[in-house]
């Protein structure tokens, strides 16, 4: 079980734009989960990947006028449920159709789709705009019987929702072994069958083409691997992408168009975007 560093960044003044931008910068440095609040952000990274110099550079070069101070705490792997409960992971209702909560929650709101997520250290509880917007896309899409690939599955929440909506064979790929294990556990909690694979984009070569491709990662990874994503999508298939800002849409769409994808629409929340594309060739 992996040990982690909990990085705490206090911002004065602080708002959602500041915490979202901090999360974006840290996401590019392999931080996996984020818990923003009214005074700053707590972010988590495997202890072996923590580099104080990187954090110092982010704080020093932050483009918004605010005072940033950071500190760290070592957290042993077995303490994640306690960490998430302490950091206010509360039930959330998405699109008036789906409720996401942990197994330790009580008085959970009723919804058509009830998803149990014990996130431990994997990204994806539905609270961040990128995850919730991807879920809204899935809720609005007729996925019955369709084959799905969820790239960078994290907690497995998107793949789990797809299966609850009647998707056919569903694959989830996750590079981090601990997150992969967590996704398997979450699928079991929700009594759905998802084929989770521990690996990176090279794992796509062993998977059949799909009708729906999901990737909620970040702009740089998506644009680098978009040709591999498109190669696993059938002609006429749909791709949902998130993990980047609204301002980044032209960059992502350009890379996608070069791989035979056509932009259809997007959802935006707090400057975070989730786009829908279709494969034309």
């Amino acid at each position: 079980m992996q040990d982690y560093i909990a990085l705490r960044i206090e911002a004065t003044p602080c708002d959602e734009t500041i915490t979202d931008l901090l999360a974006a910068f840290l996401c590019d440095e392999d931080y996996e989960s984020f818990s923003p609040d009214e005074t700053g952000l707590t972010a988590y990274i495997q202890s072996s990947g923590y580099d104080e110099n990187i954090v110092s550079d982010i704080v020093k070069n932050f483009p918004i006028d605010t005072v940033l101070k950071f500190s760290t705490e070592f957290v042993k792997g077995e303490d994640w449920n306690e960490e998430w409960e302490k950091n206010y992971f509360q039930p959330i209702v998405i699109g008036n159709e789906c409720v996401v909560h942990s197994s330790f929650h009580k008085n959970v709101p009723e919804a058509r789709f009830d998803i149990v997520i014990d996130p431990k250290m994997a990204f994806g509880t539905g609270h961040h705009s990128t995850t919730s917007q991807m879920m809204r896309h899935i809720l609005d899409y007729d996925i019955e019987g369709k084959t799905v690939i969820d790239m960078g599955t994290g907690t497995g929440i998107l793949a789990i929702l797809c299966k609850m909506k009647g998707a056919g064979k569903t694959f989830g790929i996750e590079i981090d072994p601990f997150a992969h294990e967590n996704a398997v556990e979450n699928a079991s909690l929700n009594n759905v069958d998802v084929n989770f694979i521990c690996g990176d984009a090279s794992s796509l070569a062993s998977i059949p083409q799909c009708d729906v491709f999901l990737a909620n990662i970040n702009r740089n990874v998506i644009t680098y691997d978009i040709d591999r994503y498109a190669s696993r999508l059938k002609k006429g298939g749909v791709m949902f992408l998130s993990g980047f800002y609204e301002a980044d849409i032209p960059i992502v769409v350009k890379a996608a168009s070069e791989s035979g994808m056509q932009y259809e629409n997007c959802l935006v929340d707090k400057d975070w975007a989730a786009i829908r594309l279709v494969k034309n060739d």
Side-chain angles (χ1 to χ4, degrees):
M1 186 171 291
Q2 294 283 350
D3 296 326
Y4 277 76
I5 294 294
L7 170 68
R8 177 65 189 175
I9 301 181
E10 293 283 341
T12 308
C14 183
D15 57 30
E16 288 182 352
T17 300
I18 289 170
T19 55
D20 281 351
L21 193 55
L22 283 169
F25 289 151
L26 292 169
C27 184
D28 285 341
E29 301 298 337
D30 297 327
Y31 281 74
E32 298 173 10
S33 295
F34 308 92
S35 179
D37 55 55
E38 56 193 25
T39 63
L41 175 79
T42 303
Y44 299 92
I45 189 171
Q46 291 184 29
S47 57
S48 60
Y50 176 72
D51 187 331
E52 183 172 325
N53 292 327
I54 290 175
V55 180
S56 295
D57 286 343
I58 291 173
V59 169
K60 180 181 178 181
N61 299 309
F62 197 68
I64 297 177
D65 186 15
T66 182
V67 176
L68 300 176
K69 295 182 179 180
F70 70 91
S71 60
T72 59
E73 179 184 356
F74 178 80
V75 185
K76 290 189 68 63
E78 64 265 21
D79 294 337
W80 288 119
N81 280 346
E82 179 182 349
E83 279 296 303
W84 276 101
E85 188 171 10
K86 183 177 73 175
N87 284 289
Y88 313 115
F89 166 36
Q90 296 298 323
I92 182 174
V93 177
I94 296 173
N96 296 318
E97 288 189 90
C98 179
V99 61
V100 183
H101 61 95
S102 189
S103 59
F104 54 71
H105 286 133
K106 300 178 176 62
N107 302 317
V108 176
E110 293 186 4
R112 179 183 175 194
F113 302 107
D114 186 305
I115 300 180
V116 180
I117 295 292
D118 282 342
K120 296 184 179 176
M121 200 42 227
F123 178 80
T125 62
H127 289 72
H128 195 273
S129 295
T130 57
T131 309
S132 62
Q133 298 297 77
M134 289 287 281
M135 295 177 75
R136 289 177 186 273
H137 270 307
I138 294 167
L139 289 168
D140 290 341
Y141 185 70
D142 181 11
I143 208 163
E144 182 80 29
K146 292 182 168 61
T147 302
V148 177
I149 296 175
D150 180 19
M151 188 71 213
T153 194
T155 60
I157 188 171
L158 301 181
I160 290 168
L161 177 58
C162 289
K163 289 298 292 187
M164 285 186 171
K165 284 204 67 189
K169 188 168 288 188
T170 300
F171 300 87
I173 300 176
E174 174 56 50
I175 193 171
D176 178 68
F178 187 57
H180 170 263
E181 178 184 343
N182 183 220
V184 172
E185 292 170 351
N186 287 327
S188 178
L189 283 173
N190 291 278
N191 299 309
V192 296
D193 180 20
V194 179
N195 184 352
F196 288 112
I197 298 167
C198 189
D200 57 17
S202 64
S203 302
L204 290 167
S206 64
I207 300 177
Q209 284 190 310
C210 64
D211 304 294
V212 179
F213 194 102
L214 313 170
N216 179 20
I217 306 179
N218 64 57
R219 188 195 74 185
N220 293 339
V221 172
I222 288 172
T223 54
Y224 182 80
D225 286 329
I226 191 69
D227 56 333
R228 290 182 175 182
Y229 300 169
S231 72
R232 292 295 88 199
L233 190 62
K234 298 175 183 176
K235 182 177 180 179
V238 172
M239 183 179 290
F240 298 113
L241 302 175
S242 192
F244 47 86
Y245 283 99
E246 182 179 12
D248 294 325
I249 290 177
I251 297 171
V252 177
V253 169
K254 180 177 184 297
S257 66
E258 292 170 355
S259 297
M261 307 295 303
Q262 179 178 326
Y263 172 82
E264 289 198 319
N265 59 53
C266 73
L267 298 174
V268 177
D269 181 55
K270 301 174 185 174
D271 294 327
W272 290 98
I275 66 174
R276 170 174 166 165
L277 307 106
V278 63
K279 185 175 182 181
N280 289 326
D281 54 22

